[in-house]
C-alpha cells in the first residue's frame, strides 16, 4: 500500500506543477484542468498496475464483461464530450457566410463606385458644365453604399439582433435570459434605459469608455474585447447599438453604466465619422481638431475602416465654452465645447461628422 501512497504523492506534486506550469505559460483554465486530469489519469493507470490480478474470463462469460466495459467507456466519453460547449459547424459556417456576404457586397458596391468615379473623371475632362449638371442628377444613383440587397428583409432592430449574434456578444452577455453561461458580463435587457445609441456605439468601439457598475474588476482587466472597431462596419455597429437601445426592461438587473472619470478634467473627446457626399465612409482620413483659445493645443487622428475617428483634446476647466474647429481635407466645422466645469464625472465629448470630397484616384 505504501507504494500506492508514494504514487499518489508523486501525482499530487505533478498535478500542482502541471497547473501552475501551464498557468505560467498562459494556458486558459480549461487547459490547466485538462493537464491535471491527465496526471490523474496517469495515477489511475499506475495504481491499477498494483491492483491484484483479476480472475481470467474466458469463453462466453467474457462477452458480458467485454460489453459492460465498452458501455462504461462509451458513457464516460459521451458524457464528458457533451458536457463541453457544443459548436455546430454548420451554424458557425452560416455566421461566417453572413458576415462575409455583407463585406463582399460592400466591396462590390465600392468597386462599382470607383468605376463610376473613373467614368465621371473622364466626362469631367470634357469640361462641360451641362455634363456636370447632368452628373448632379446621376449622383443619387451612386449613393447606394452600405447594406446592399436584402435590405428590405430585416428591420433595423432585427438586423441589430443578428449583428449581436454574429459577433457573439452572447458569450459574455445575457438578453432575454439567453447567453453567457458563466457570469462574464452584464445582463443587457435594460441597457436602453441607460445609454443612447451613440454611447452604446462608443462602448463597443472603445470598451474603456464606460463600465457597468459592479464590474470594475472586469473592466480594469479589459474583459470586454477591444477589437470591434477593427471588425465592424458602420452599418453593423449602428444597427447593433440601435437594437440594444430598444431594450428597456426595468425589471432586468442591468447594471448602471459609469462613465470613466479618468482625465475628465483635462480632456475633451471629439468623435464622429468622415464620409463623402454619397455617404461612403472614408478610412484613413486625417482629422484635425483645434480649440480656438489662446495657447490651445490642437490634436489629430485618423479614421478607421468604418470612417470613425476620435480625437482627445487637452482642454481644461477654464476652456469651457470654447469654440473648437474640426477639419478634414479642407472641410471645416466648429462646435462649442460647453461642459460644466464642476461636473467631474461625465465625459466631456462632442459627436461631429464631416462630409468631404471623395479622395482622388
Ligand atoms: C469576453 C466578454 C465580452 C464580450 C464578448 C462582450 N462584452 Fe460587453 N462587457 C463585458 C464585460 C465584462 C462588461 C462589464 C465591464 C465593462 O463595462 O467594461 C461589459 C459591458 C458592456 C456594456 C455596458 C453594460 C452596462 O450595463 O453598462 C455594453 C453595452 C456591452 N458590454 C456591449 C457589448 C456588445 C454589443 C458586445 C458584442 C459586440 C459585447 N459587449 C461583447 C464583456 C464582454
Amino acid at each position: 500500500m505504501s507504494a500506492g501512497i508514494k504514487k499518489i504523492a508523486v501525482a499530487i506534486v505533478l498535478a500542482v506543477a502541471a497547473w501552475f506550469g501551464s498557468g505560467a505559460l498562459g494556458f486558459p483554465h480549461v487547459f490547466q484542468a485538462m493537464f491535471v486530469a491527465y496526471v490523474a489519469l496517469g495515477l489511475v493507470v499506475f495504481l491499477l498496475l498494483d491492483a491484484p490480478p483479476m480472475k481470467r474470463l474466458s469463453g462466453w462469460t467474457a462477452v458480458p464483461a467485454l460489453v459492460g466495459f465498452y458501455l462504461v467507456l462509451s458513457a464516460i466519453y459521451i458524457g464528458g464530450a457533451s458536457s463541453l460547449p457544443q459548436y455546430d459547424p454548420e451554424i458557425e459556417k452560416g455566421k461566417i457566410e453572413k458576415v462575409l456576404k455583407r463585406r463582399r457586397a460592400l466591396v462590390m458596391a465600392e468597386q462599382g463606385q470607383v468605376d463610376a468615379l473613373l467614368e465621371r473623371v473622364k466626362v469631367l475632362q470634357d469640361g462641360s458644365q451641362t455634363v456636370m449638371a447632368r452628373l448632379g442628377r446621376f449622383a443619387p444613383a451612386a449613393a447606394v453604399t452600405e447594406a446592399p440587397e436584402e435590405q428590405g428583409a430585416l428591420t433595423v432592430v432585427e438586423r441589430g439582433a443578428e449583428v449581436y449574434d454574429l459577433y457573439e456578444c452572447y458569450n459574455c452577455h445575457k438578453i432575454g435570459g439567453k447567453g453567457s453561461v458563466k457570469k462574464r458580463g452584464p445582463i443587457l435587457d435594460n441597457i436602453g434605459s441607460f445609454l443612447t445609441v451613440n454611447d452604446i456605439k462608443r462602448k463597443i468601439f472603445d470598451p474603456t469608455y464606460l463600465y457597468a457598475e459592479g464590474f470594475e474588476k472586469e473592466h480594469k482587466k479589459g474583459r470586454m474585447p477591444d477589437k470591434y472597431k477593427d471588425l465592424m462596419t458602420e452599418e453593423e455597429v449602428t444597427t447593433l447599438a440601435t437594437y440594444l437601445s430598444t431594450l428597456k426592461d426595468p425589471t432586468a438587473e442591468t447594471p448602471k453604466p459609469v462613465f470613466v472619470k479618468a482625465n475628465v478634467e483635462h480632456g475633451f473627446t471629439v468623435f464622429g465619422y468622415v464620409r463623402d457626399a454619397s455617404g461612403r465612409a472614408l478610412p484613413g482620413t486625417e482629422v484635425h481638431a483645434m480649440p480656438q483659445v489662446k495657447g490651445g493645443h490642437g490634436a489629430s487622428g485618423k479614421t478607421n475602416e468604418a470612417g470613425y475617428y476620435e480625437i482627445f483634446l487637452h482642454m481644461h476647466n477654464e476652456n469651457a465654452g470654447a469654440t473648437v474647429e474640426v477639419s478634414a481635407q479642407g472641410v471645416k466645422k466648429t462646435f462649442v465645447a460647453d461642459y460644466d466645469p464642476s461636473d467631474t464625472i461625465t465625459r466631456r465629448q462632442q459627436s461631429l461628422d464631416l462630409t468631404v470630397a471623395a479622395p482622388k484616384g
Side-chain angles (χ1 to χ4, degrees), residues 314-343:
H314 259 260
M315 287 178 74
H316 303 280
N317 282 342
E318 60 271 23
N319 297 136
T323 299
V324 179
E325 186 185 80
V326 183
S327 58
Q329 293 187 13
V331 174
K332 288 179 184 162
K333 261 191 180 178
T334 60
F335 68 89
V336 175
D338 55 348
Y339 44 86
D340 174 4
S342 66
D343 179 354

PDB file of all heavy atoms in Angstrom, residues 314-343:
ATOM      1  N   HIS A 314      -6.623  68.350 -25.282  1.00  0.00           N
ATOM      2  CA  HIS A 314      -6.283  68.857 -23.957  1.00  0.00           C
ATOM      3  C   HIS A 314      -7.046  70.142 -23.696  1.00  0.00           C
ATOM      4  O   HIS A 314      -6.731  71.183 -24.258  1.00  0.00           O
ATOM      5  CB  HIS A 314      -4.782  69.108 -23.864  1.00  0.00           C
ATOM      6  CG  HIS A 314      -4.101  68.016 -23.141  1.00  0.00           C
ATOM      7  ND1 HIS A 314      -3.737  68.100 -21.829  1.00  0.00           N
ATOM      8  CD2 HIS A 314      -3.770  66.771 -23.541  1.00  0.00           C
ATOM      9  CE1 HIS A 314      -3.189  66.961 -21.456  1.00  0.00           C
ATOM     10  NE2 HIS A 314      -3.197  66.129 -22.485  1.00  0.00           N
ATOM     11  N   MET A 315      -8.085  70.044 -22.913  1.00  0.00           N
ATOM     12  CA  MET A 315      -8.855  71.248 -22.577  1.00  0.00           C
ATOM     13  C   MET A 315      -9.132  71.214 -21.092  1.00  0.00           C
ATOM     14  O   MET A 315      -9.446  70.169 -20.540  1.00  0.00           O
ATOM     15  CB  MET A 315     -10.166  71.270 -23.374  1.00  0.00           C
ATOM     16  CG  MET A 315      -9.945  71.594 -24.842  1.00  0.00           C
ATOM     17  SD  MET A 315     -11.467  71.566 -25.788  1.00  0.00           S
ATOM     18  CE  MET A 315     -12.241  73.084 -25.238  1.00  0.00           C
ATOM     19  N   HIS A 316      -8.989  72.344 -20.484  1.00  0.00           N
ATOM     20  CA  HIS A 316      -9.139  72.389 -19.029  1.00  0.00           C
ATOM     21  C   HIS A 316     -10.473  73.016 -18.653  1.00  0.00           C
ATOM     22  O   HIS A 316     -11.219  73.479 -19.501  1.00  0.00           O
ATOM     23  CB  HIS A 316      -7.969  73.155 -18.415  1.00  0.00           C
ATOM     24  CG  HIS A 316      -6.654  72.544 -18.783  1.00  0.00           C
ATOM     25  ND1 HIS A 316      -6.163  71.448 -18.132  1.00  0.00           N
ATOM     26  CD2 HIS A 316      -5.770  72.837 -19.782  1.00  0.00           C
ATOM     27  CE1 HIS A 316      -5.022  71.106 -18.696  1.00  0.00           C
ATOM     28  NE2 HIS A 316      -4.757  71.923 -19.694  1.00  0.00           N
ATOM     29  N   ASN A 317     -10.715  73.037 -17.339  1.00  0.00           N
ATOM     30  CA  ASN A 317     -11.977  73.593 -16.856  1.00  0.00           C
ATOM     31  C   ASN A 317     -12.223  74.995 -17.392  1.00  0.00           C
ATOM     32  O   ASN A 317     -13.332  75.338 -17.776  1.00  0.00           O
ATOM     33  CB  ASN A 317     -11.983  73.627 -15.322  1.00  0.00           C
ATOM     34  CG  ASN A 317     -12.279  72.240 -14.765  1.00  0.00           C
ATOM     35  OD1 ASN A 317     -12.788  71.375 -15.491  1.00  0.00           O
ATOM     36  ND2 ASN A 317     -11.961  72.039 -13.513  1.00  0.00           N
ATOM     37  N   GLU A 318     -11.152  75.810 -17.437  1.00  0.00           N
ATOM     38  CA  GLU A 318     -11.333  77.202 -17.849  1.00  0.00           C
ATOM     39  C   GLU A 318     -11.602  77.337 -19.345  1.00  0.00           C
ATOM     40  O   GLU A 318     -11.943  78.410 -19.818  1.00  0.00           O
ATOM     41  CB  GLU A 318     -10.137  78.071 -17.417  1.00  0.00           C
ATOM     42  CG  GLU A 318      -8.792  77.654 -17.977  1.00  0.00           C
ATOM     43  CD  GLU A 318      -8.078  76.640 -17.076  1.00  0.00           C
ATOM     44  OE1 GLU A 318      -8.760  75.955 -16.292  1.00  0.00           O
ATOM     45  OE2 GLU A 318      -6.841  76.541 -17.167  1.00  0.00           O
ATOM     46  N   ASN A 319     -11.466  76.241 -20.077  1.00  0.00           N
ATOM     47  CA  ASN A 319     -11.758  76.303 -21.507  1.00  0.00           C
ATOM     48  C   ASN A 319     -13.223  76.012 -21.829  1.00  0.00           C
ATOM     49  O   ASN A 319     -13.612  75.980 -22.991  1.00  0.00           O
ATOM     50  CB  ASN A 319     -10.885  75.306 -22.283  1.00  0.00           C
ATOM     51  CG  ASN A 319      -9.410  75.613 -22.168  1.00  0.00           C
ATOM     52  OD1 ASN A 319      -8.600  74.722 -21.975  1.00  0.00           O
ATOM     53  ND2 ASN A 319      -9.060  76.892 -22.267  1.00  0.00           N
ATOM     54  N   ALA A 320     -14.013  75.785 -20.812  1.00  0.00           N
ATOM     55  CA  ALA A 320     -15.433  75.507 -21.046  1.00  0.00           C
ATOM     56  C   ALA A 320     -16.050  76.649 -21.850  1.00  0.00           C
ATOM     57  O   ALA A 320     -15.799  77.824 -21.572  1.00  0.00           O
ATOM     58  CB  ALA A 320     -16.168  75.334 -19.719  1.00  0.00           C
ATOM     59  N   GLY A 321     -16.835  76.305 -22.840  1.00  0.00           N
ATOM     60  CA  GLY A 321     -17.465  77.318 -23.675  1.00  0.00           C
ATOM     61  C   GLY A 321     -16.633  77.717 -24.880  1.00  0.00           C
ATOM     62  O   GLY A 321     -17.067  78.525 -25.695  1.00  0.00           O
ATOM     63  N   ALA A 322     -15.425  77.148 -24.990  1.00  0.00           N
ATOM     64  CA  ALA A 322     -14.570  77.493 -26.126  1.00  0.00           C
ATOM     65  C   ALA A 322     -15.121  76.892 -27.417  1.00  0.00           C
ATOM     66  O   ALA A 322     -15.769  75.855 -27.397  1.00  0.00           O
ATOM     67  CB  ALA A 322     -13.151  76.970 -25.881  1.00  0.00           C
ATOM     68  N   THR A 323     -14.826  77.581 -28.512  1.00  0.00           N
ATOM     69  CA  THR A 323     -15.187  77.035 -29.817  1.00  0.00           C
ATOM     70  C   THR A 323     -14.066  76.119 -30.285  1.00  0.00           C
ATOM     71  O   THR A 323     -12.891  76.426 -30.102  1.00  0.00           O
ATOM     72  CB  THR A 323     -15.372  78.192 -30.824  1.00  0.00           C
ATOM     73  OG1 THR A 323     -16.424  79.019 -30.340  1.00  0.00           O
ATOM     74  CG2 THR A 323     -15.730  77.669 -32.197  1.00  0.00           C
ATOM     75  N   VAL A 324     -14.438  75.004 -30.861  1.00  0.00           N
ATOM     76  CA  VAL A 324     -13.438  74.072 -31.378  1.00  0.00           C
ATOM     77  C   VAL A 324     -13.681  73.898 -32.869  1.00  0.00           C
ATOM     78  O   VAL A 324     -14.821  73.750 -33.303  1.00  0.00           O
ATOM     79  CB  VAL A 324     -13.530  72.697 -30.669  1.00  0.00           C
ATOM     80  CG1 VAL A 324     -12.498  71.733 -31.243  1.00  0.00           C
ATOM     81  CG2 VAL A 324     -13.347  72.858 -29.173  1.00  0.00           C
ATOM     82  N   GLU A 325     -12.600  73.938 -33.617  1.00  0.00           N
ATOM     83  CA  GLU A 325     -12.724  73.755 -35.054  1.00  0.00           C
ATOM     84  C   GLU A 325     -12.203  72.363 -35.435  1.00  0.00           C
ATOM     85  O   GLU A 325     -11.121  71.962 -35.036  1.00  0.00           O
ATOM     86  CB  GLU A 325     -11.908  74.825 -35.775  1.00  0.00           C
ATOM     87  CG  GLU A 325     -12.103  74.793 -37.275  1.00  0.00           C
ATOM     88  CD  GLU A 325     -11.191  75.792 -37.963  1.00  0.00           C
ATOM     89  OE1 GLU A 325     -10.002  75.493 -38.160  1.00  0.00           O
ATOM     90  OE2 GLU A 325     -11.680  76.893 -38.286  1.00  0.00           O
ATOM     91  N   VAL A 326     -13.015  71.655 -36.189  1.00  0.00           N
ATOM     92  CA  VAL A 326     -12.625  70.316 -36.635  1.00  0.00           C
ATOM     93  C   VAL A 326     -12.536  70.333 -38.158  1.00  0.00           C
ATOM     94  O   VAL A 326     -13.423  70.870 -38.829  1.00  0.00           O
ATOM     95  CB  VAL A 326     -13.662  69.260 -36.191  1.00  0.00           C
ATOM     96  CG1 VAL A 326     -13.215  67.863 -36.595  1.00  0.00           C
ATOM     97  CG2 VAL A 326     -13.869  69.332 -34.690  1.00  0.00           C
ATOM     98  N   SER A 327     -11.455  69.780 -38.682  1.00  0.00           N
ATOM     99  CA  SER A 327     -11.309  69.831 -40.130  1.00  0.00           C
ATOM    100  C   SER A 327     -10.743  68.533 -40.685  1.00  0.00           C
ATOM    101  O   SER A 327      -9.995  67.822 -40.022  1.00  0.00           O
ATOM    102  CB  SER A 327     -10.393  70.997 -40.518  1.00  0.00           C
ATOM    103  OG  SER A 327      -9.139  70.848 -39.880  1.00  0.00           O
ATOM    104  N   ALA A 328     -11.149  68.248 -41.906  1.00  0.00           N
ATOM    105  CA  ALA A 328     -10.611  67.111 -42.644  1.00  0.00           C
ATOM    106  C   ALA A 328     -10.649  67.478 -44.116  1.00  0.00           C
ATOM    107  O   ALA A 328     -11.672  67.958 -44.611  1.00  0.00           O
ATOM    108  CB  ALA A 328     -11.419  65.849 -42.386  1.00  0.00           C
ATOM    109  N   GLN A 329      -9.553  67.284 -44.792  1.00  0.00           N
ATOM    110  CA  GLN A 329      -9.442  67.596 -46.222  1.00  0.00           C
ATOM    111  C   GLN A 329     -10.008  68.962 -46.570  1.00  0.00           C
ATOM    112  O   GLN A 329     -10.754  69.105 -47.539  1.00  0.00           O
ATOM    113  CB  GLN A 329     -10.152  66.514 -47.037  1.00  0.00           C
ATOM    114  CG  GLN A 329      -9.449  65.191 -46.928  1.00  0.00           C
ATOM    115  CD  GLN A 329     -10.032  64.150 -47.858  1.00  0.00           C
ATOM    116  OE1 GLN A 329     -10.805  64.466 -48.756  1.00  0.00           O
ATOM    117  NE2 GLN A 329      -9.653  62.920 -47.657  1.00  0.00           N
ATOM    118  N   GLY A 330      -9.682  69.940 -45.730  1.00  0.00           N
ATOM    119  CA  GLY A 330     -10.079  71.302 -46.038  1.00  0.00           C
ATOM    120  C   GLY A 330     -11.501  71.647 -45.647  1.00  0.00           C
ATOM    121  O   GLY A 330     -11.893  72.808 -45.691  1.00  0.00           O
ATOM    122  N   VAL A 331     -12.300  70.669 -45.270  1.00  0.00           N
ATOM    123  CA  VAL A 331     -13.664  70.955 -44.818  1.00  0.00           C
ATOM    124  C   VAL A 331     -13.620  71.249 -43.322  1.00  0.00           C
ATOM    125  O   VAL A 331     -13.048  70.479 -42.546  1.00  0.00           O
ATOM    126  CB  VAL A 331     -14.608  69.758 -45.086  1.00  0.00           C
ATOM    127  CG1 VAL A 331     -15.977  70.010 -44.489  1.00  0.00           C
ATOM    128  CG2 VAL A 331     -14.697  69.499 -46.575  1.00  0.00           C
ATOM    129  N   LYS A 332     -14.196  72.389 -42.938  1.00  0.00           N
ATOM    130  CA  LYS A 332     -14.115  72.793 -41.536  1.00  0.00           C
ATOM    131  C   LYS A 332     -15.497  72.866 -40.911  1.00  0.00           C
ATOM    132  O   LYS A 332     -16.459  73.261 -41.567  1.00  0.00           O
ATOM    133  CB  LYS A 332     -13.457  74.172 -41.416  1.00  0.00           C
ATOM    134  CG  LYS A 332     -11.990  74.129 -41.696  1.00  0.00           C
ATOM    135  CD  LYS A 332     -11.362  75.502 -41.604  1.00  0.00           C
ATOM    136  CE  LYS A 332      -9.901  75.390 -42.005  1.00  0.00           C
ATOM    137  NZ  LYS A 332      -9.307  76.658 -42.359  1.00  0.00           N
ATOM    138  N   LYS A 333     -15.564  72.502 -39.644  1.00  0.00           N
ATOM    139  CA  LYS A 333     -16.793  72.637 -38.874  1.00  0.00           C
ATOM    140  C   LYS A 333     -16.394  73.079 -37.480  1.00  0.00           C
ATOM    141  O   LYS A 333     -15.301  72.758 -37.013  1.00  0.00           O
ATOM    142  CB  LYS A 333     -17.511  71.285 -38.760  1.00  0.00           C
ATOM    143  CG  LYS A 333     -18.646  71.073 -39.744  1.00  0.00           C
ATOM    144  CD  LYS A 333     -19.422  69.838 -39.326  1.00  0.00           C
ATOM    145  CE  LYS A 333     -20.574  69.543 -40.263  1.00  0.00           C
ATOM    146  NZ  LYS A 333     -21.268  68.309 -39.860  1.00  0.00           N
ATOM    147  N   THR A 334     -17.288  73.811 -36.835  1.00  0.00           N
ATOM    148  CA  THR A 334     -16.982  74.195 -35.455  1.00  0.00           C
ATOM    149  C   THR A 334     -18.128  73.795 -34.543  1.00  0.00           C
ATOM    150  O   THR A 334     -19.243  73.565 -34.988  1.00  0.00           O
ATOM    151  CB  THR A 334     -16.781  75.718 -35.321  1.00  0.00           C
ATOM    152  OG1 THR A 334     -17.983  76.361 -35.729  1.00  0.00           O
ATOM    153  CG2 THR A 334     -15.621  76.215 -36.118  1.00  0.00           C
ATOM    154  N   PHE A 335     -17.794  73.701 -33.254  1.00  0.00           N
ATOM    155  CA  PHE A 335     -18.834  73.494 -32.243  1.00  0.00           C
ATOM    156  C   PHE A 335     -18.361  74.176 -30.969  1.00  0.00           C
ATOM    157  O   PHE A 335     -17.176  74.515 -30.835  1.00  0.00           O
ATOM    158  CB  PHE A 335     -19.092  72.007 -32.017  1.00  0.00           C
ATOM    159  CG  PHE A 335     -17.940  71.290 -31.366  1.00  0.00           C
ATOM    160  CD1 PHE A 335     -17.816  71.207 -29.983  1.00  0.00           C
ATOM    161  CD2 PHE A 335     -16.950  70.701 -32.151  1.00  0.00           C
ATOM    162  CE1 PHE A 335     -16.761  70.550 -29.398  1.00  0.00           C
ATOM    163  CE2 PHE A 335     -15.882  70.045 -31.567  1.00  0.00           C
ATOM    164  CZ  PHE A 335     -15.787  69.976 -30.185  1.00  0.00           C
ATOM    165  N   VAL A 336     -19.300  74.389 -30.073  1.00  0.00           N
ATOM    166  CA  VAL A 336     -18.951  74.997 -28.789  1.00  0.00           C
ATOM    167  C   VAL A 336     -18.853  73.891 -27.742  1.00  0.00           C
ATOM    168  O   VAL A 336     -19.781  73.098 -27.566  1.00  0.00           O
ATOM    169  CB  VAL A 336     -20.007  76.040 -28.378  1.00  0.00           C
ATOM    170  CG1 VAL A 336     -19.689  76.578 -26.983  1.00  0.00           C
ATOM    171  CG2 VAL A 336     -20.040  77.168 -29.394  1.00  0.00           C
ATOM    172  N   ALA A 337     -17.690  73.844 -27.087  1.00  0.00           N
ATOM    173  CA  ALA A 337     -17.468  72.810 -26.070  1.00  0.00           C
ATOM    174  C   ALA A 337     -18.041  73.295 -24.746  1.00  0.00           C
ATOM    175  O   ALA A 337     -17.322  73.802 -23.893  1.00  0.00           O
ATOM    176  CB  ALA A 337     -15.975  72.516 -25.944  1.00  0.00           C
ATOM    177  N   ASP A 338     -19.361  73.149 -24.613  1.00  0.00           N
ATOM    178  CA  ASP A 338     -19.940  73.681 -23.369  1.00  0.00           C
ATOM    179  C   ASP A 338     -20.190  72.564 -22.375  1.00  0.00           C
ATOM    180  O   ASP A 338     -21.197  71.882 -22.429  1.00  0.00           O
ATOM    181  CB  ASP A 338     -21.211  74.486 -23.649  1.00  0.00           C
ATOM    182  CG  ASP A 338     -22.249  73.702 -24.417  1.00  0.00           C
ATOM    183  OD1 ASP A 338     -21.889  72.617 -24.915  1.00  0.00           O
ATOM    184  OD2 ASP A 338     -23.384  74.138 -24.505  1.00  0.00           O
ATOM    185  N   TYR A 339     -19.209  72.361 -21.524  1.00  0.00           N
ATOM    186  CA  TYR A 339     -19.369  71.388 -20.446  1.00  0.00           C
ATOM    187  C   TYR A 339     -19.411  72.131 -19.120  1.00  0.00           C
ATOM    188  O   TYR A 339     -19.022  73.287 -19.026  1.00  0.00           O
ATOM    189  CB  TYR A 339     -18.242  70.363 -20.457  1.00  0.00           C
ATOM    190  CG  TYR A 339     -16.855  70.949 -20.660  1.00  0.00           C
ATOM    191  CD1 TYR A 339     -16.120  71.412 -19.582  1.00  0.00           C
ATOM    192  CD2 TYR A 339     -16.303  71.041 -21.936  1.00  0.00           C
ATOM    193  CE1 TYR A 339     -14.852  71.948 -19.766  1.00  0.00           C
ATOM    194  CE2 TYR A 339     -15.047  71.580 -22.121  1.00  0.00           C
ATOM    195  CZ  TYR A 339     -14.319  72.030 -21.038  1.00  0.00           C
ATOM    196  OH  TYR A 339     -13.081  72.562 -21.217  1.00  0.00           O
ATOM    197  N   ASP A 340     -19.884  71.410 -18.129  1.00  0.00           N
ATOM    198  CA  ASP A 340     -19.989  72.011 -16.807  1.00  0.00           C
ATOM    199  C   ASP A 340     -18.694  71.736 -16.049  1.00  0.00           C
ATOM    200  O   ASP A 340     -18.391  70.599 -15.717  1.00  0.00           O
ATOM    201  CB  ASP A 340     -21.191  71.370 -16.089  1.00  0.00           C
ATOM    202  CG  ASP A 340     -21.297  71.827 -14.649  1.00  0.00           C
ATOM    203  OD1 ASP A 340     -20.494  72.697 -14.242  1.00  0.00           O
ATOM    204  OD2 ASP A 340     -22.176  71.312 -13.945  1.00  0.00           O
ATOM    205  N   PRO A 341     -17.891  72.793 -15.780  1.00  0.00           N
ATOM    206  CA  PRO A 341     -16.583  72.572 -15.150  1.00  0.00           C
ATOM    207  C   PRO A 341     -16.686  71.891 -13.782  1.00  0.00           C
ATOM    208  O   PRO A 341     -15.734  71.258 -13.335  1.00  0.00           O
ATOM    209  CB  PRO A 341     -16.013  73.989 -14.984  1.00  0.00           C
ATOM    210  CG  PRO A 341     -16.806  74.837 -15.907  1.00  0.00           C
ATOM    211  CD  PRO A 341     -18.152  74.207 -16.032  1.00  0.00           C
ATOM    212  N   SER A 342     -17.856  71.987 -13.146  1.00  0.00           N
ATOM    213  CA  SER A 342     -17.963  71.390 -11.815  1.00  0.00           C
ATOM    214  C   SER A 342     -18.346  69.907 -11.904  1.00  0.00           C
ATOM    215  O   SER A 342     -18.291  69.190 -10.915  1.00  0.00           O
ATOM    216  CB  SER A 342     -18.997  72.137 -10.980  1.00  0.00           C
ATOM    217  OG  SER A 342     -20.279  71.956 -11.558  1.00  0.00           O
ATOM    218  N   ASP A 343     -18.706  69.463 -13.099  1.00  0.00           N
ATOM    219  CA  ASP A 343     -19.048  68.048 -13.280  1.00  0.00           C
ATOM    220  C   ASP A 343     -17.783  67.276 -13.615  1.00  0.00           C
ATOM    221  O   ASP A 343     -17.208  67.429 -14.685  1.00  0.00           O
ATOM    222  CB  ASP A 343     -20.079  67.911 -14.411  1.00  0.00           C
ATOM    223  CG  ASP A 343     -20.448  66.462 -14.671  1.00  0.00           C
ATOM    224  OD1 ASP A 343     -19.828  65.567 -14.061  1.00  0.00           O
ATOM    225  OD2 ASP A 343     -21.347  66.232 -15.487  1.00  0.00           O
TER     226      ASP A 343
END
